[in-house]
Amino acid sequence: WMKTAFLDRDGTINRDYPDSQWSGKTVPEMIPGAVEGLRFLQKQGYALIMITNQYVIGEGYIILEEYQNFTDSLIHRLAENGIQLLDIFYCPHRRDAGCGCCKPKPGMIEQALEKYPEMDLTQAILIGDSAGDRILAQSLGIPFYEIAEEGRHPQKNWRSVCEAVRE
């Protein structure tokens, strides 16, 4: 059975921006500790799967090609650091589209389970930076590691993937 780490993208692995500033972003600015944390997870035998809401496509802030160029650059950057993502699932729909894949809905995880039937949710974790990520993890009953500014929430949170997974 496959151990899986589901990873949010923006604000977790790379810097996030206000919606209107995403256009023209081609080079990911990595969040300190993200690469080290992903490398650690990989060494622990986790398959790394990115799940990312990209409503900025559906809402017209960027076009699909811009998303793809940024993602390709991120994949390249991770590969340079010895990190291999098993897969990426993204939701390009508007936030008001009512789709089943926009987190906190479980559509992207369901797609992953369908594609990788050897995946075992009892051996899965989710790392992200939003309430949507947290609610999704809770609904699936899997451990959640929240990347946040210090003191953002009274419950435990971490400034980086590295801090989260090493505790």
Side-chain angles (χ1 to χ4, degrees):
W1 290 102
M2 181 173 28
K3 287 194 326 187
T4 309
F6 292 105
L7 307 157
D8 174 51
R9 188 186 87 172
D10 307 323
T12 300
I13 295 172
N14 56 266
R15 183 174 167 208
D16 199 359
Y17 301 95
D19 297 343
S20 61
Q21 290 179 24
W22 269 104
S23 185
K25 297 287 183 216
T26 55
V27 179
E29 186 182 325
M30 305 304 277
I31 289 179
V35 166
E36 298 84 345
L38 296 179
R39 199 180 289 132
F40 178 80
L41 285 168
Q42 207 167 249
K43 283 184 182 144
Q44 300 304 307
Y46 282 92
L48 306 178
I49 295 182
M50 192 179 295
I51 54 170
T52 177
N53 285 348
Q54 291 296 322
Y55 61 81
V56 290
I57 300 169
E59 294 181 12
Y61 292 101
I62 65 171
I63 59 172
L64 184 58
E65 186 181 9
E66 287 177 290
Y67 161 78
Q68 199 56 61
N69 289 340
F70 185 91
T71 300
D72 290 347
S73 180
L74 180 61
I75 291 167
H76 179 74
R77 189 86 174 273
L78 292 172
E80 285 178 334
N81 285 282
I83 296 160
Q84 197 63 51
L85 296 177
L86 175 64
D87 215 328
I88 298 172
F89 295 90
Y90 70 100
C91 170
H93 308 112
R94 299 176 55 86
R95 285 173 282 194
D96 60 7
C99 66
C101 52
C102 187
K103 293 181 289 181
K105 291 185 182 156
M108 287 186 276
I109 304 259
E110 290 167 354
Q111 291 170 40
L113 286 164
E114 200 171 297
K115 188 169 178 180
Y116 303 101
E118 67 278 19
M119 195 179 295
D120 180 3
L121 279 188
T122 67
Q123 295 185 62
I125 62 171
L126 196 154
I127 302 173
D129 71 326
S130 71
D133 294 322
R134 182 173 58 253
I135 293 163
L136 175 59
Q138 288 169 343
S139 74
L140 296 169
I142 63 177
F144 178 62
Y145 297 88
E146 182 157 10
I147 307 305
E149 298 300 313
E150 209 155 5
R152 187 170 110 187
H153 295 296
Q155 78 260 28
K156 202 156 236 193
N157 54 57
W158 296 270
R159 285 185 303 269
S160 73
V161 175
C162 190
E163 236 181 73
V165 298
R166 287 189 183 273
E167 187 153 301

